[in-house]
């Protein structure tokens, strides 16, 4: 995705009065969410890596999941850029762990070439972007996960 975003999107909720509001998609109740436990020991979260220098940028920040309306329904949070500093451009071939509420940005390559990139989600998910991710044919998408079609 283009621009500053987080991986946990907000979802549109239909209120009793017919109005729509946004709220963070809830993590399953049976998980304690992702977190750093000790050096080299993480629970859940997301791992990313690219073979291209500075193809990704991450921020040492965490978007508050209790602040309704803080991010767009697709996880976009470009409006927060001025509050969270400059971020860190990732070197090539460095595996990085982050939470699904860590702001990040994918940066276009300056020259043409091939990029190898992967992202592994290591915790329960609430949303599956059908056009963005490749499903493992040996693992079914869990019940209760919202499947979003399109970009």
């Amino acid at each position: 995705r283009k621009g500053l975003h987080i991986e946990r999107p907000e979802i549109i909720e239909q209120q009793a009065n017919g109005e729509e509001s946004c709220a963070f998609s809830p993590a399953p109740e049976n998980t304690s969410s992702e977190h750093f436990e000790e050096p080299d020991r993480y629970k859940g979260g997301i791992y990313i890596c690219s073979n291209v220098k500075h193809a990704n940028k991450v921020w040492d920040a965490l978007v508050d999941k209790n602040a309704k309306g803080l991010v767009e329904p697709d996880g976009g949070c470009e409006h927060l850029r001025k509050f969270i500093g400059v971020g860190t451009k990732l070197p090539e071939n460095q595996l990085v762990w982050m939470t699904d509420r860590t702001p990040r940005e994918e940066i276009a390559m300056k020259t043409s070439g091939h990029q190898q990139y992967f992202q592994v989600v290591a915790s329960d998910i609430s949303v599956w972007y059908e056009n963005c991710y490749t499903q493992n044919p040996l693992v079914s998408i869990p019940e209760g996960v919202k499947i979003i079609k399109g970009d």
Side-chain angles (χ1 to χ4, degrees), residues 1 5-9 46 98 100 102 104 119 129 133:
R1 294 190 298 230
H5 67 278
I6 61 172
E7 296 300 323
R8 176 173 282 184
I46 298 169
M98 62 186 189
D100 60 0
T102 301
R104 76 181 196 98
Q119 173 177 315
Y129 293 93
Y133 302 130

Side-chain angles (χ1 to χ4, degrees), residues 25-56:
S25 54
E29 294 297 323
N30 61 350
T31 67
S32 57
S33 194
E34 62 277 331
H35 62 273
F36 169 78
E37 293 185 337
E38 60 187 60
D40 296 324
R41 188 166 173 191
Y42 304 91
K43 179 178 173 82
I46 298 169
Y47 296 86
I48 64 171
C49 187
S50 172
N51 69 332
V52 174
K53 182 178 180 180
H54 300 161
N56 287 276

Side-chain angles (χ1 to χ4, degrees), residues 49-107:
C49 187
S50 172
N51 69 332
V52 174
K53 182 178 180 180
H54 300 161
N56 287 276
K57 193 174 191 182
V58 296
W59 278 259
D60 185 12
L62 192 63
V63 175
D64 185 350
K65 67 181 177 183
N66 297 314
K68 290 189 176 202
L70 195 57
V71 300
E72 297 167 358
D74 66 353
C77 54
E78 188 64 42
H79 59 283
L80 298 178
R81 187 181 296 270
K82 62 185 172 188
F83 302 110
I84 60 175
V86 296
T88 301
K89 290 182 179 178
L90 302 180
E92 70 274 17
N93 304 319
Q94 180 174 354
L95 182 65
V96 174
W97 176 87
M98 62 186 189
T99 76
D100 60 0
R101 294 182 291 123
T102 301
R104 76 181 196 98
E105 178 179 35
E106 297 164 13
I107 301 170

